[in-house]
Amino acid sequence: MEKSKGNVLVTGCSAGGLGYALAKAFRDQGFHVLATVRNTSKAADLTREKNIEVLTLDVTSATSIAECLEQEGKAAYDVNVWAPLTVAQAFAPLLIESKGVILNISSIAGAVPLVWQGLYNSSKAAATFLSETLKMELAPLGVRVVTAMVGAIGTTLYNGHEVSLPKTSYYKPIEEYIKRQSRGEMQEPFNESVDATARNIVKDTLAGRRGQIWRGGEAGRASILSWLIPTAIRERILHADKQQ
């Protein structure tokens, strides 16, 4: 039997998501994967996969407050900001001892703001800066930190998610447009396969990359827009159809 290259801990491994695909991609590269999820029934298929161990882990439990979890903004920051920080702190001693790697999943939405999703955008921007700061802080201790700036991918993120505007909303005349975006229909033509994105992220990570890596549909374009294009021009490019 081939010897495992080591252990990889992947959080958020619900079926259909990027964490689920990453667990399989790391396993395919010869690693023993500890796939964690808040509800193991949502990752049932992984329990039958060789060299993947499914564990229960609620990454928000240390900071979540029951009555606030119903608020979308609080939930976004719990999952995208506080959870990665809590996990990094908890596993820091093991990572430093083993000279390990942290792979944080962020989004191009944190670098190129898109309308109607300000809370999500800002939480991913915070996640990116947190990850990039950890990169500098942990480098002297031998820990490599990678920040995946993920673009459009075909996951279950938008399943069952649709907004409904109150009658008094100033945006009521374009409610259908906003609903289409909340269902993920606006990005669907640009989606890359979640498995392809996961394989590319794993390849980059194992190749020794550090800092930001841009993967997924439209990620390359977003990278150029975020670094080279002035804000005013970038907004016109991204939102021309919304300014009619």
Side-chain angles (χ1 to χ4, degrees):
M1 183 174 65
E2 185 178 352
K3 185 178 180 181
S4 170
K5 293 181 179 178
N7 295 317
V8 174
L9 174 71
V10 183
T11 61
C13 293
S14 296
L18 182 57
Y20 183 92
L22 284 170
K24 289 187 174 182
F26 273 113
R27 186 277 313 277
D28 291 344
Q29 291 296 319
F31 290 88
H32 177 73
V33 176
L34 303 174
T36 70
V37 65
R38 278 186 281 184
N39 184 347
T40 55
S41 66
K42 294 184 177 181
D45 291 346
L46 288 181
T47 61
R48 296 188 288 272
E49 295 283 346
K50 185 179 179 181
N51 291 330
I52 296 181
E53 184 177 354
V54 178
L55 302 173
T56 301
L57 176 64
D58 182 354
V59 295
T60 67
S61 61
T63 57
S64 61
I65 303 173
E67 61 267 27
C68 291
L69 285 177
E70 296 178 359
Q71 301 177 17
E72 184 175 350
K74 176 65 163 54
Y77 275 79
D78 277 346
V79 172
N80 295 330
V81 182
W82 296 116
L85 177 59
T86 301
V87 173
Q89 288 176 327
F91 287 92
L94 289 174
L95 288 163
I96 294 169
E97 181 180 352
S98 63
K99 308 301 181 185
V101 180
I102 296 175
L103 168 61
N104 287 318
I105 304 300
S106 190
S107 168
I108 63 174
V112 182
L114 301 173
V115 295
W116 320 124
Q117 53 185 55
L119 290 171
Y120 178 79
N121 294 343
S122 60
S123 71
K124 284 300 187 180
T128 298
F129 273 85
L130 174 62
S131 185
E132 292 293 278
T133 302
L134 285 174
K135 177 191 69 175
M136 295 183 288
E137 293 175 344
L138 293 176
L141 302 176
V143 176
R144 180 162 54 92
V145 178
V146 182
T147 308
M149 305 295 289
V150 179
I153 55 176
T155 71
T156 57
L157 176 65
Y158 294 99
N159 287 11
H161 185 267
E162 182 173 312
V163 299
S164 180
L165 301 182
K167 293 181 180 180
T168 56
S169 172
Y170 290 111
Y171 298 110
K172 195 66 175 178
I174 57 171
E175 181 177 26
E176 185 53 37
Y177 182 95
I178 297 174
K179 283 186 174 182
R180 287 179 60 204
Q181 180 161 319
S182 73
R183 294 192 295 261
E185 295 174 8
M186 305 301 292
Q187 76 165 42
E188 192 171 347
F190 308 104
N191 280 352
E192 180 178 83
S193 160
V194 65
D195 292 321
T197 301
R199 286 193 297 269
N200 286 329
I201 291 174
V202 169
K203 180 180 177 181
D204 290 339
T205 303
L206 297 182
R209 295 279 297 274
R210 66 177 64 245
Q212 295 181 7
I213 56 175
W214 298 71
R215 290 295 186 179
E218 294 292 277
R221 181 186 180 207
S223 176
I224 294 173
L225 287 172
S226 67
W227 291 106
L228 300 179
I229 308 298
T231 300
I233 297 176
R234 183 175 69 218
E235 289 178 353
R236 286 201 295 270
I237 293 173
L238 289 172
H239 306 306
D241 58 333
K242 305 176 185 67
Q243 297 171 356
Q244 302 299 323

